[in-house]
Structure formats: C-alpha cells, structure tokens
Amino acid sequence: MTDTTSLFSPLSFAGHELGNRAVLAPMTRTSAQDNGQVHHDMVDYYRDFARGQFSLLITEGLYTDEAFSQGYANQPGLANQTQQVSWRCVVDAVHQQEGRIIAQLMHAGAQTQHNRFKDEVVAPSECRASGEMLSFYGGSGLFPLAREISEQEIHEAIAGFATSARLAKEAGFDGIELHGANGYLIHQFISNRFNQRDDAWGGDALARLAFPLAVIRSVREAVGEDFPIGMRLSQGTVTEPGLQWQGGPDAARQRLAYLMESGLDFLHLTSGDAQAPAFPEAEDEADRQLSLTALAAQVREAQHANVTLIANGGTDSQEKADAVLAQADLVAVGRSALANHDWPKRLKRGTPLTSFDFAMLSPLATLANEEDWRIANDKPANCEGRC
Ligand SMILES: Cc1cc2nc3c(=O)[nH]c(=O)nc-3n(C[C@H](O)[C@H](O)[C@H](O)COP(=O)(O)O)c2cc1C
C-alpha cells in the first residue's frame, strides 16, 4: 500500500509534484543589499535547502511597496523591477535543484523596526506593538507609536500586495504566501488588539477580515486563477507568542471557513508547537485537544474545501513530522532547517541532525553570522557525506 501521509510521500500541490512533504519555513535573515535587492549569498543559501531536498521553500518575508511595508534594515523587497530581477537568480537556482519556491509577502505595520522609505509607521488603529524591538534584526527599545492608516493608504497597501504578487509570478516564483501571522499588518487587521476601527475595515471578527479578503481578491486579480496563493496565520505575535484569538474555537472555525472560501490555494498554520492545543481552556472537552491545524482540517472537511494545509512549529524529527502530517498535507520546518539545510536528506539517510543553536542568529540573524557560527563549531550546513 502506498504511504500517503508520511514525510517522504509525494504530494501534488497546486499543479506541482512535490517529492516529499518537507517545506522550508519562511525566515527573515536581514542579509539583502541596502536597497532590498538579493545579495549573492542568498542565492547559495536558498539553493542549499533545495539541494538538501526540501521540496518546497518559502522565502523570508519580502516587503511589498516603497511606502510603509518594510520592517527591517536589509530586509529583501519585491516592490520594484530591480528587486524582482535580483530574485530571478534565487528562483532559477532553486528550480535547477528541482525545488519549488514561494515568495512570502509581508507588510510590517506596527511591528516596523526600520523603513528606508518612510519615517512614520502605520497600523489599523493607533497603537504600539508590545514588548521590545527584536535585537537580532537590529532593533532596540520600544516599537514606534504607529498612527492609524488612512483609507487611501489602505488601498495603496492592498495595491502593493497585488503588484508584488505580479512581480513574483513574472520572476518565476511558484506561488506567493501572504503573511497574515506573527503580528504583521494583515494579522493586525484581523486582531481586536490592533484593530479598533469602526469603518469598513473593522468591527466584529468577521468585519476584521475585510482587509485580508480585499488583499486576496486583489492579488488574485493580479496573478490570475492558476497561480498558487496562500496565507500564513498564527494566534501569537513575534513579541507575544502566547496571544490567543478572541472567541475561542467557534470563532476560529468561522474565520478559517471564510478564508478557505476566499479562493486561497493553501493555508499555513503556525504556532510554537504545531501539535499543541490551540484553545486549551475551551468549554468543549473535544475542542480543548485541537491544534490550530486540526481545527483547520475539520473546517476543510466540513466545507469540502480544496485547500492545502501546511503546519509549522517545533518539528525537529521525523516522528514529529509524521505526527503533524496526520492532520496537515505539508510540514514547514524553521529552526531545525537552519541548523540542517539538508534536513530531509539527513533524515532519509539516518544522518544525525545538528541541534539548532540560537548563537547562529546572534548578535544578528544574518547569513554572515550563521557562517561564522558554522566555522567556529565545525558544523556544515549541508553535509554531503562529511557527517
Ligand atoms: C530567524 C527567524 C526568522 C523568521 N522569520 C520569519 C518570517 O520572515 N516570516 C514568517 O512567517 N515567520 C518567520 N519566522 C518564524 C518561522 O517561520 C517559524 O514559524 C518558527 O521558527 C517556528 O517554527 P520552528 O519551530 O520549526 O522553528 C522566523 C523564525 C526565525 C527563527
């Protein structure tokens, strides 16, 4: 009998045949050129994961316009033609290794730490993101106070996502992922914490989906029917990983149902632990056990929706990957992939994995820092028979 759910089983995904279920999770490395173009080290970096047999790669979050979307210094962009051209080298390198690559499109909103186009920061409502800026992305101290984004700027932000998606398609990317997780702008519109608007972009939980749904519509119009579009979702933010969506499992089901009906090809659910219950204090005993992915799988089944589910969080072994794959179609790996660019290949061969070490990302989460760590610790990224 063919095994259809384990890590090394193939999957047909939005017109592509993936050789296995291992996906590289999106990870910001703040290693682009100052103008947001790809640095040549990034070509080798992404190629390495495809060579290491990740069948699908999701890029780090790319800013989408030359206005308010950039969040970090040396964050790569996909907001103009020169940035687009620079991404072609990455896309071609991944395709040469028979990997597939999706561009993650992100608008930082209130979580902006550095933006070379604007001095101001915008969010759905005036607010300050909680906690302190992330030092490994070069920030320090409190986040800036974000002002309420205007109606016109909302339309410009939506247009930015659409333009960026078109640039991604023309650059040869195999799809795009809208970053609706971790507290960035799309998440902010969804969240009652950041969105207190009482116009067409805010209100109850359903009304707060207006922005993500408008982005999805606009992006779809820009790229056509055949180009995969997905969205990443989380409950927590970068500085408050424990935050929960308001309204418990029923509201979550409703939100997931609307998003599944919106024409998305995939949903990417992320949390600290993909298998952990999303609402451990839910009234209903059965609901208390459900992870965000399990909830999404329930909704998908109930709606007969044709949406691929990617799950992420805490997967650092084949056993965990296979457990996650009982509920999702694909498993995205973050930190363990950073430590092992050939994570799938090592598991297949039975080669021991290198443990993730936060020192790889400190003081900065750059590729140069990772390289220094590898040399100092004699830990090759891709072992090629050397380990
Ligand atoms: C250095 C680093 C950068 C990250 N950047 C992004 C990003 O750009 N976009 C995103 O959606 N998540 C980002 N994340 C979150 C990861 O995609 C992933 O959700 C998280 O690491 C948990 O998965 P893991 O347990 O497999 O590492 C980042 C994580 C790390 C460690």
Side-chain angles (χ1 to χ4, degrees), residues 313-326:
T315 304
D316 56 3
S317 68
Q318 181 157 356
E319 292 68 35
K320 285 192 193 169
D322 285 341
V324 169
L325 288 167

Side-chain angles (χ1 to χ4, degrees), residues 9-31:
S9 57
L11 180 76
S12 189
F13 167 73
H16 302 296
E17 292 305 314
L18 305 181
N20 63 42
R21 309 296 180 101
V23 176
L24 175 70
M27 278 176 287
T28 291
R29 304 305 306 268
T30 58
S31 296

